[in-house]
C-alpha cells in the first residue's frame, strides 16, 4: 500500500515536471493561463480550477482563467481581498484547504451564482515570484476523497512555476508591444519635426502654412488615438482587462451604434442600412466591449468606403451563436493582406494615403471577441468591398 502511494506521488511529480517544461514553451499569456488551470485540475484531481490575478496598483483580485466554463462569465470579475477565500490566500501568502467552501465565511458567493455551480471542497495556493504575489491558483471540488497535504504540495509547486511563467510572459509582451509602439511613433514624430522646420521658414505662404497646420493636427489626432488604443491593447494582452458581464438586447445595441455613426456616414455621402430580424433574443456579454467592437467595424467601413457607397449591418442567430456582420462597398482588401489584418499595428499598404489610422483597432476587436470565446473573420474582394463577421457564442 505504501509503495503504491509512493509510486502515485512519483507519477504526479513526473507529470508536474512535464507540465513545468510545457509552461516555459510559450510566452502567449492566454495560452499559458489555460495550460495552468488545466494542469491544476489534472494534478489535483479536481472538477475545476481557476486563476485569479492580483493587481497591486488597485489592490484587487480578478478572475482571468477557469476550466469547464463555456461562457466567459468570470473573466475580469473583481474579487475583494476581504471577504473572499482567494483574498485570504493572497493576503496571508499561504495555501488553504477547505472541506466545505460554500459555508465558509470567506466564500465569495457571487461566483457560484454566476456560474450556477456549487463549490464544495477547495484547495488554493498563492502564486509568488521573487516575493511578489502574482495571484491565487484554486482547485475546486475534489473528484474522489478530500484534498490533502500531497495535493497542496503539488499545487504549491505548480503555483510557483506558474507565477514565474506568467511574469515572464507579461514582461515579454510589454517589451514587445513597447518596441512596436516606439517603431510606430517614428513616422508621426518625423512628420511633426519636418512640419516645425517648414513653419519656421519666413518665405512660407499662407496656403502652404494652412496645409501644414492641417497635417500637424491630423498627426496629433493620430498620436492621441494611438496612445488610447495602445493602453487598451496593453490591458487586453496583459490579462488585466476586466469584463463586466450582463444580459442585454443585441438588436438595441446594434441600432444605437448605427445611429451613433450615422453622422459620420452622412458627411461622406454614405448610406447606412440595418438588416435585423423583428427581435433578437438577449445575450450575455460585456456590452461596452461589444459596443467598442461594433463602433470600430462601422468606423472602418466608413473610412475605407467610396463616396456615395453603402454600409449594411446585419445580425441573426445560428445554433449556439449570434452572428453580426458589417459589410461595405469600399475598395476591398487584397487576398495577400487578409492573413495579417488582425495583427497589431498592421495597415494594408496604401491605406495610409486614404485615412489616418493606428493599425490597432482590429487587433483590439480580435482580443475582445476571443475573450468572449467568439470569432471574428473577414471576406473581401478588391474594388467590391469587405464584410467583417463577428460570432458570439450563446447558451
Amino acid at each position: 500500500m505504501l509503495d503504491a502511494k509512493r509510486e502515485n506521488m512519483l507519477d504526479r511529480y513526473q507529470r508536474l515536471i512535464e507540465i513545468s517544461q510545457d509552461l516555459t514553451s510559450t510566452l502567449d499569456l492566454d495560452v499559458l493561463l489555460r495550460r495552468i488551470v488545466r494542469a491544476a485540475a489534472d494534478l489535483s484531481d479536481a472538477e475545476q480550477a481557476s486563476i485569479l490575478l492580483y493587481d497591486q496598483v488597485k489592490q484587487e483580485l480578478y478572475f482571468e482563467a477557469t476550466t469547464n466554463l463555456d461562457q466567459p462569465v468570470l473573466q475580469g470579475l473583481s474579487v475583494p481581498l476581504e471577504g473572499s477565500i482567494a483574498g485570504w490566500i493572497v493576503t496571508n501568502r499561504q495555501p488553504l484547504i477547505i472541506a466545505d467552501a460554500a459555508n465558509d465565511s470567506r466564500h465569495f458567493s457571487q461566483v457560484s451564482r454566476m456560474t450556477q455551480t456549487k463549490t464544495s471542497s477547495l484547495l488554493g495556493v498563492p502564486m509568488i515570484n521573487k516575493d511578489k504575489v502574482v495571484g491565487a491558483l484554486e482547485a475546486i471540488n475534489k473528484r474522489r476523497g478530500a484534498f490533502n497535504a500531497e495535493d497542496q504540495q503539488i499545487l504549491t509547486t505548480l503555483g510557483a512555476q506558474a507565477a514565474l511563467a506568467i511574469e515572464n510572459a507579461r514582461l515579454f509582451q510589454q517589451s514587445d508591444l513597447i518596441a512596436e509602439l516606439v517603431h510606430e511613433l517614428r513616422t508621426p514624430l518625423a512628420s511633426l519635426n519636418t512640419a516645425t522646420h517648414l513653419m519656421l521658414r519666413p518665405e512660407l505662404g499662407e496656403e502652404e502654412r494652412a496645409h501644414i497646420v492641417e497635417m500637424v493636427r491630423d498627426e496629433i489626432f493620430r498620436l492621441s488615438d494611438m496612445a488610447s488604443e495602445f493602453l487598451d491593447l496593453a490591458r487586453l494582452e496583459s490579462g488585466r482587462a476586466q469584463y463586466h458581464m450582463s444580459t442585454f438586447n443585441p438588436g438595441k445595441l446594434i441600432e444605437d451604434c448605427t445611429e451613433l455613426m450615422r453622422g459620420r456616414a452622412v458627411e461622406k455621402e454614405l448610406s447606412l442600412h440595418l438588416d435585423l430580424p423583428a427581435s433578437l433574443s438577449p445575450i450575455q456579454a460585456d456590452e461596452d466591449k461589444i459596443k467598442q467592437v461594433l463602433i470600430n467595424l462601422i468606423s472602418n467601413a466608413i473610412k475605407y468606403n467610396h463616396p456615395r457607397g453603402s454600409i449594411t449591418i446585419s445580425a441573426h442567430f445560428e445554433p449556439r451563436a449570434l452572428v453580426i456582420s458589417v459589410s461595405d462597398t469600399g475598395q476591398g482588401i487584397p487576398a495577400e493582406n487578409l492573413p495579417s489584418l488582425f495583427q497589431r499595428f498592421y495597415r494594408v499598404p496604401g491605406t495610409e494615403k486614404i485615412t489616418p489610422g493606428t493599425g490597432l483597432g482590429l487587433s483590439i476587436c480580435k482580443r475582445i471577441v476571443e475573450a468572449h470565446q467568439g470569432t471574428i473573420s473577414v471576406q473581401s474582394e478588391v474594388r467590391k468591398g469587405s464584410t467583417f463577421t463577428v460570432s458570439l457564442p450563446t447558451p
Side-chain angles (χ1 to χ4, degrees):
M1 185 73 168
L2 190 60
D3 289 339
K5 186 177 180 180
R6 186 181 293 112
E7 185 177 345
N8 177 266
M9 193 65 179
L10 288 173
D11 287 343
R12 295 172 75 186
Y13 270 108
Q14 180 61 40
R15 173 78 177 119
L16 179 60
I17 291 170
E18 293 171 359
I19 290 170
S20 298
Q21 293 171 341
D22 187 41
L23 296 184
T24 61
S25 68
T26 181
L27 289 168
D28 185 312
L29 188 59
D30 292 336
V31 172
L32 181 64
L33 293 173
R34 288 195 295 270
R35 288 180 181 178
I36 294 169
V37 291
R38 284 198 300 266
D42 180 27
L43 288 170
S44 59
D45 192 30
E47 292 179 0
Q48 299 179 34
S50 301
I51 285 177
L52 297 93
L53 296 181
Y54 179 53
D55 188 325
Q56 290 189 323
V57 176
K58 296 181 179 179
Q59 292 192 327
E60 65 181 16
L61 283 161
Y62 54 95
F63 273 95
E64 193 54 40
T66 60
T67 57
N68 299 337
L69 285 176
D70 295 329
Q71 297 288 334
V73 292
L74 290 182
Q75 187 159 16
L77 173 65
S78 179
V79 175
L81 284 179
E82 294 186 11
S84 72
I85 294 172
W88 187 95
I89 292 168
V90 166
T91 302
N92 291 275
R93 297 182 170 220
Q94 294 180 19
L96 191 63
I97 295 177
I98 303 177
D100 187 8
N103 292 316
D104 191 286
S105 61
R106 296 162 294 189
H107 179 56
F108 187 55
S109 58
Q110 186 177 345
V111 175
S112 297
R113 289 198 301 270
M114 292 180 69
T115 61
Q116 300 296 307
T117 59
K118 182 181 179 181
T119 301
S120 298
S121 57
L122 182 146
L123 165 60
V125 300
M127 296 189 297
I128 301 174
N129 179 51
K130 297 180 180 177
D131 204 40
K132 174 186 176 183
V133 179
V134 176
L137 177 61
E138 294 182 341
I140 302 158
N141 298 340
K142 181 80 170 178
R143 294 183 186 276
R144 291 176 292 274
F147 289 118
N148 54 40
E150 291 178 358
D151 295 324
Q152 178 177 304
Q153 188 177 353
I154 288 284
L155 208 65
T156 298
T157 305
L158 176 63
Q161 293 291 331
L164 175 61
I166 289 170
E167 287 297 278
N168 285 342
R170 280 176 166 173
L171 288 171
F172 174 78
Q173 289 186 341
Q174 288 171 3
S175 61
D176 186 41
L177 190 56
I178 289 171
E180 288 193 45
L181 175 66
V182 170
H183 176 74
E184 293 298 322
L185 285 174
R186 289 176 179 174
T187 300
L189 288 176
S191 298
L192 291 172
N193 184 49
T194 301
T196 302
H197 285 290
L198 288 174
M199 292 187 71
L200 290 174
R201 298 180 63 171
E203 70 274 18
L204 193 68
E206 286 302 315
E207 185 175 343
E208 291 87 351
R209 191 178 300 275
H211 176 72
I212 294 173
V213 168
E214 184 177 343
M215 185 270 288
V216 168
R217 182 198 62 190
D218 289 344
E219 291 298 335
I220 290 173
F221 284 159
R222 181 184 172 194
L223 285 170
S224 177
D225 288 343
M226 188 180 293
S228 298
E229 292 186 345
F230 172 80
L231 290 175
D232 277 346
L233 187 60
R235 279 191 289 266
L236 290 165
E237 293 203 348
S238 68
R240 295 176 186 269
Q242 295 191 11
Y243 289 81
H244 304 285
M245 311 305 287
S246 65
T247 301
F248 61 91
N249 182 340
K252 176 68 164 53
L253 177 64
I254 294 169
E255 290 173 356
D256 290 347
C257 291
T258 302
E259 289 308 309
L260 190 63
M261 303 301 293
R262 193 173 294 280
R264 289 176 57 184
V266 169
E267 288 179 5
K268 202 170 176 181
E269 301 178 68
L270 300 172
S271 57
L272 273 178
H273 305 286
L274 276 175
D275 182 12
L276 303 177
S279 64
L280 286 170
S281 301
I283 64 169
Q284 189 177 62
D286 185 316
E287 186 172 7
D288 287 339
K289 285 188 169 57
I290 299 303
K291 180 178 181 179
Q292 184 178 356
V293 171
L294 294 176
I295 291 295
N296 187 282
L297 295 181
I298 297 171
S299 175
N300 282 351
I302 292 172
K303 285 181 183 178
Y304 301 108
N305 217 323
H306 298 301
R308 293 176 295 280
S310 66
I311 299 165
T312 301
I313 301 103
S314 62
H316 66 276
F317 277 103
E318 292 182 355
R320 301 184 66 81
L322 169 66
V323 179
I324 305 171
S325 295
V326 178
S327 302
D328 65 61
T329 57
Q331 62 183 20
I333 304 162
E336 62 269 21
N337 299 123
L338 293 177
S340 304
L341 206 57
F342 295 98
Q343 294 178 7
R344 58 196 186 196
F345 294 111
Y346 181 80
R347 299 198 70 198
V348 176
T351 55
E352 66 276 1
K353 299 176 183 178
I354 301 173
T355 183
T358 65
L360 290 173
L362 288 178
S363 181
I364 290 172
C365 288
K366 186 174 187 287
R367 281 276 176 177
I368 291 173
V369 172
E370 289 183 347
H372 284 80
Q373 299 182 3
T375 60
I376 182 169
S377 59
V378 58
Q379 291 182 316
S380 189
E381 190 173 346
V382 175
R383 290 187 294 276
K384 290 192 176 180
S386 304
T387 296
F388 285 83
T389 302
V390 171
S391 178
L392 298 172
T394 57

